[in-house]
Amino acid sequence: MLKVIQLQQKMDQAIEILERRFLERSELIRLLMLGIMSGENALLIGPPGTAKSQLARSISKLFGSEHWFEYLLTRFTTPDEIFGPVSLQQLKADQYVRKTAGYLPSAQFAFLDEIFKANSAILNSLLSILHERIYFNGKEKESVPLLFLVAASNELPDEDEQLTALYDRFLIRYEVGYLQHASSYEKMFHLPAAEIPVVFSLYDVRDVQAAARDVTISEGLIYFLYSLKKDLEEKEHLISDRRWNKIVHVWKTSAVLNGRDHVSIWDTVYTPHMLWDVPEDLPVLRELFEKRFTEQVKAELESDLPLRKYQQIAQRWLEKESELHAFQFKKEIGHKLGKEKAEQYVALLEQCRMELEETARELRNRLLDAQQREQNMNSFVREKNRLIIEQEKYALKYVHLRVEGERILQMLQGVYRTVFDREIAGADYDYTL
């Protein structure tokens, strides 16, 4: 049975260990941990000397795995170097079988550098290992125990059908650059030298993956995914159905790591790194994602701050503002209206007064509650997803929604002031906060 609190403590410990050793890699570290737990492969794009292999190797040590395989691929790399030598004893019996012990088909964790330089003799076997975790050894299909494979490349693949198929097997993609901050260079020469401790067991991964299979996803989030898909297609970014399915699987894994049995919009925050084909597309894709993400957060907040309802009420009376104000003015100057017409306006005024007062007071109280929540918003966001590193960024989304609510409250108060020439009692609010 999955013990969520213990697992979360292990995740926190593992992330802290890695962040001390790998500077400016906080987001990447969390992505790789999410990749391990969901069983998805990761591709790192970047120049040599950015600690790609060292980070992959360090993550495997957290799991205490001795079944680690690492190799630098070139155009001249042979299948023997990756999958093991052909067994001479089996060959004498007319059986073409490789001795895979100690090679990629027997590894639990692996790092393949310059992955796109693999030749066609290697590529076909890699495809089945990466996707189905199967290696075709002669006539036999061997189950591969691979939990996580990180690949790296200095450049993206050319337009080659086999390389494109290989590229599609890497759901998580991340561009790694050199350190940027002066503080990182100060710390770089004093990094921990102690051996990385074992934090997880391999059973942790299996338990998470088993639990993820039972996680549910709501119709709202399915529509969110579909809307995002259509947005990408309008920008001519096409993603295979297989990748969308894997993306949802990562969302479910995130839900398990956050102790839920259902996917939340907060489990989707790292999705942009699963969408791009070239790093230059990431800003555009992130913008598309953030727009849909904010809409979904707003929809989920409707129970706490139903802005749509308040906006509709404010807009309805704003459209009648001039008409009602004119009636009030005519009444003051003694202008005579037909009895039936006057009664209609009196009833409409009373409805307007009651609805504006009730709505404004309710909205004002909810905005005050929102202000209280914002005082500890970083912790609130962390409760939504422990892997989020930029809590302030996501906390601002709530602030923006609160500001939108304040705009609606001003609209309600303005209409009331125009029609009734006074303020709404009990709806006073300090807009300077």
Side-chain angles (χ1 to χ4, degrees):
M1 184 176 179
L2 185 66
K3 298 178 180 177
V4 176
I5 294 178
Q6 292 182 9
L7 179 63
Q8 290 176 343
Q9 290 173 343
K10 289 180 179 181
M11 288 290 289
D12 292 344
Q13 182 186 355
I15 289 171
E16 182 182 1
I17 289 170
L18 294 175
E19 284 184 332
R20 287 178 180 175
R21 288 165 168 79
F22 299 95
L23 308 174
E24 300 181 22
R25 300 288 184 262
S26 295
E27 184 180 51
L28 175 57
I29 287 168
R30 285 160 174 76
L31 260 174
L32 294 180
M33 295 302 298
L34 191 55
I36 288 177
M37 292 301 179
S38 58
E40 295 298 339
N41 312 304
L43 173 68
L44 308 183
I45 304 293
T50 49
K52 298 186 290 294
S53 61
Q54 187 180 355
L55 177 55
R57 199 178 304 118
S58 297
I59 286 180
S60 74
K61 291 180 180 179
L62 291 170
F63 291 81
S65 174
E66 297 179 356
H67 299 284
W68 163 262
F69 182 81
E70 178 179 349
Y71 212 85
L72 171 63
L73 292 163
T74 71
R75 289 180 300 155
F76 307 107
T77 302
T78 66
D80 290 11
E81 298 170 73
I82 305 300
F83 308 115
V86 175
S87 171
L88 296 178
Q89 188 174 0
Q90 294 283 347
L91 196 58
K92 292 176 183 178
D94 291 333
Q95 297 292 325
Y96 193 86
V97 177
R98 294 188 182 277
K99 299 167 67 174
T100 58
Y103 292 86
L104 180 59
S106 67
Q108 293 169 325
F109 292 87
F111 177 76
L112 296 178
D113 203 0
E114 293 301 327
I115 182 75
F116 298 118
K117 291 183 179 176
N119 55 55
S120 58
I122 293 173
L123 278 175
N124 289 334
S125 294
L126 275 179
L127 293 177
S128 61
I129 289 177
L130 290 172
H131 184 49
E132 294 93 357
R133 298 298 194 254
I134 291 173
Y135 174 62
F136 292 91
N137 193 358
K139 296 180 180 179
E140 300 297 324
K141 287 199 305 184
E142 291 185 6
S143 178
V144 175
L146 187 67
L147 293 176
F148 189 52
L149 185 142
V150 180
S153 177
N154 297 336
E155 56 191 7
L156 292 172
D158 297 325
E159 291 294 329
D160 179 281
E161 186 175 340
Q162 282 188 311
L163 291 179
T164 301
L166 178 67
Y167 190 35
D168 198 56
R169 260 62 171 183
F170 293 97
L171 179 66
I172 297 171
R173 299 164 180 180
Y174 200 92
E175 185 178 23
V176 186
Y178 295 120
L179 300 180
Q180 299 294 316
H181 305 298
S183 58
S184 299
Y185 282 90
E186 292 176 5
K187 297 175 183 177
M188 186 169 63
F189 306 104
H190 306 284
L191 297 177
E195 186 69 20
I196 291 179
V198 176
V199 175
F200 299 97
S201 75
L202 298 180
Y203 291 106
D204 290 326
V205 180
R206 296 188 181 101
D207 289 346
V208 169
Q209 293 180 1
R213 288 192 284 270
D214 297 326
V215 171
T216 60
I217 181 169
S218 67
E219 289 185 6
L221 282 174
I222 292 174
Y223 182 73
F224 163 78
L225 179 142
Y226 180 75
S227 300
L228 183 60
K229 175 181 181 293
K230 301 304 288 184
D231 290 343
L232 265 59
E233 288 175 351
E234 287 181 7
K235 297 290 184 178
E236 298 184 353
H237 293 283
L238 301 179
I239 296 177
S240 66
D241 292 340
R242 174 174 59 198
R243 289 180 66 80
W244 284 117
N245 187 53
K246 286 177 173 291
I247 286 171
V248 172
H249 175 62
V250 173
W251 293 356
K252 291 183 176 182
T253 303
S254 174
V256 171
L257 296 176
N258 286 287
R260 293 189 300 273
D261 61 1
H262 62 279
V263 175
S264 160
I265 185 61
W266 295 96
D267 295 311
T268 72
V269 293
Y270 288 119
T271 304
H273 291 291
M274 306 171 206
L275 301 176
W276 57 263
D277 285 328
V278 293
E280 291 78 15
D281 290 339
L282 180 58
V284 174
L285 298 175
R286 197 193 295 275
E287 183 179 345
L288 293 173
F289 171 81
E290 290 293 342
K291 179 176 179 292
R292 291 294 179 182
F293 180 91
T294 302
E295 289 174 357
Q296 191 68 25
V297 169
K298 186 176 179 180
E300 291 195 0
L301 272 176
E302 278 294 304
S303 59
D304 294 330
L305 192 61
L307 295 180
R308 188 181 309 169
K309 181 186 81 171
Y310 298 139
Q311 175 68 37
Q312 289 173 345
I313 293 172
Q315 189 62 40
R316 182 167 70 251
W317 292 114
L318 182 64
E319 291 172 358
K320 296 181 180 298
E321 180 184 50
S322 298
E323 183 182 353
L324 293 174
H325 177 64
F327 171 72
Q328 293 281 61
F329 178 74
K330 289 177 182 178
K331 190 171 62 173
E332 286 182 12
I333 64 175
H335 184 81
K336 298 296 184 180
L337 287 175
K339 181 180 179 183
E340 183 178 347
K341 194 73 170 177
E343 288 177 350
Q344 288 177 355
Y345 272 111
V346 168
L348 192 61
L349 275 172
E350 181 62 13
Q351 182 186 353
C352 175
R353 182 190 66 79
M354 291 180 61
E355 193 163 337
L356 286 177
E357 288 179 357
E358 180 182 333
T359 304
R361 289 166 186 157
E362 180 183 316
L363 176 54
R364 177 253 189 191
N365 291 335
R366 288 180 184 266
L367 290 174
L368 292 177
D369 290 341
Q371 287 184 356
Q372 286 291 113
R373 187 167 60 236
E374 286 169 23
Q375 293 179 6
N376 198 23
M377 185 55 72
N378 286 356
S379 297
F380 175 77
V381 172
R382 178 172 168 78
E383 288 177 5
K384 297 292 186 180
N385 188 339
R386 300 173 65 86
L387 295 179
I388 290 178
I389 54 174
E390 297 176 310
Q391 282 97 355
E392 297 82 1
K393 167 187 170 183
Y394 292 97
L396 278 174
K397 294 185 181 296
Y398 283 91
V399 176
H400 290 157
L401 292 176
R402 192 249 302 164
V403 171
E404 185 177 343
E406 291 175 348
R407 182 187 60 79
I408 297 172
L409 180 59
Q410 286 179 316
M411 190 185 302
L412 293 166
Q413 291 172 327
V415 172
Y416 191 91
R417 195 180 301 115
T418 300
V419 175
F420 299 103
D421 197 27
R422 62 177 184 271
E423 302 293 337
I424 301 175
D428 52 302
Y429 184 83
D430 187 355
Y431 292 98
T432 62
L433 295 177

